[in-house]
Amino acid sequence: AQSVTQLDSQVPVFEEAPVELRCNYSSSVSVYLFWYVQYPNQGLQLLLKYLSGSTLVKGINGFEAEFNKSQTSFHLRKPSVHISDTAEYFCAGASGGSYIPTFGRGTSLIVHP
Amino acid sequence: DAGVTQSPTHLIKTRGQHVTLRCSPISGHKSVSWYQQVLGQGPQFIFQYYEKEERGRGNFPDRFSARQFPNYSSELNVNALLLGDSALYLCASSWGLWSGGTGELFFGEGSRLTVL
């Protein structure tokens, strides 16, 4: 089964600064990767996904991620963050043959004014 | 269109009791998945149902059970509650097993269970 590791439990950053949230996955065989965001007291919302094709994936709210097979990574980036980006971010992965994504432990993005 | 709805939103139980959590998927979605999210952790997969059949089960004890009804809504049941069952229980729906090829899950806001 696919597993993902989020390397940072918390990432503090100032408003308008760039940010990168790191995610590594375990298997390179038919891997499907996702980033979800969870705002306080809400469910998870899909930011972006990689299923195949271009390794640079663009999502909602100005976020993007790059699938790197050699590094087994799928890091999430945003060039300029806003206060409203403060939330919990989850990386998730699924492997070929399984339709069930496995989630990482999450990274808390804290944007300071 | 209504999103995924879950009920109740909050509930408090004592050890040994039973709880039933309910989920209504987005209209047209035939697959429902349940996840447990303990404070400070990512969601852990419990069950997936598609067309009223169980299609996946996570590493949870038999105290956890679920079912899906003909209208595609779902219930999660937990018997003999333990303190460690305190968590946010999330329901997610999708069109099919792999959501028409996109893999996207649509989540409800969850049911927060506290076991005392």
Side-chain angles (χ1 to χ4, degrees), chain A residues 6 32-34 36 38 41-47 49 51 88 90 93-95 98-106, chain B residues 10 33 35 37 40-45 48 55-57 88 90 97-98 101-110 112:
Chain A
Q6 293 184 247
Y32 311 108
L33 297 163
F34 309 84
Y36 283 83
Q38 185 177 34
N41 300 315
Q42 293 188 26
L44 281 71
Q45 178 186 6
L46 183 69
L47 276 177
K49 60 183 180 286
L51 301 180
E88 195 78 17
F90 294 96
S95 298
S98 171
Y99 300 108
I100 300 164
T102 302
F103 286 81
R105 60 178 296 175
Chain B
H10 295 81
S33 300
Y35 285 81
Q37 186 179 16
Q41 299 293 323
Q44 297 293 312
F45 171 72
Q48 183 186 50
R55 301 301 295 265
R57 173 186 285 254
L88 180 68
L90 294 165
L97 282 174
W98 196 230
T102 69
E104 181 174 0
L105 295 175
F106 296 81
F107 284 84
E109 295 189 353
R112 185 165 296 283

Side-chain angles (χ1 to χ4, degrees), chain B residues 6-7 18-23 32-36 46-47 49 60 63-69 73-79 88-91 111 113:
Chain B
Q6 293 187 241
S7 64
H18 163 91
V19 68
T20 297
L21 307 177
R22 296 177 176 83
C23 171
V32 169
S33 300
W34 287 95
Y35 285 81
Q36 180 195 64
I46 311 175
F47 287 109
Y49 277 78
F60 280 81
R63 299 184 296 107
F64 288 76
S65 63
R67 55 180 174 170
Q68 187 177 33
F69 299 100
S73 66
S74 178
E75 282 183 355
L76 175 69
N77 294 283
V78 187
N79 292 323
L88 180 68
Y89 288 86
L90 294 165
C91 174
S111 294
L113 170 65

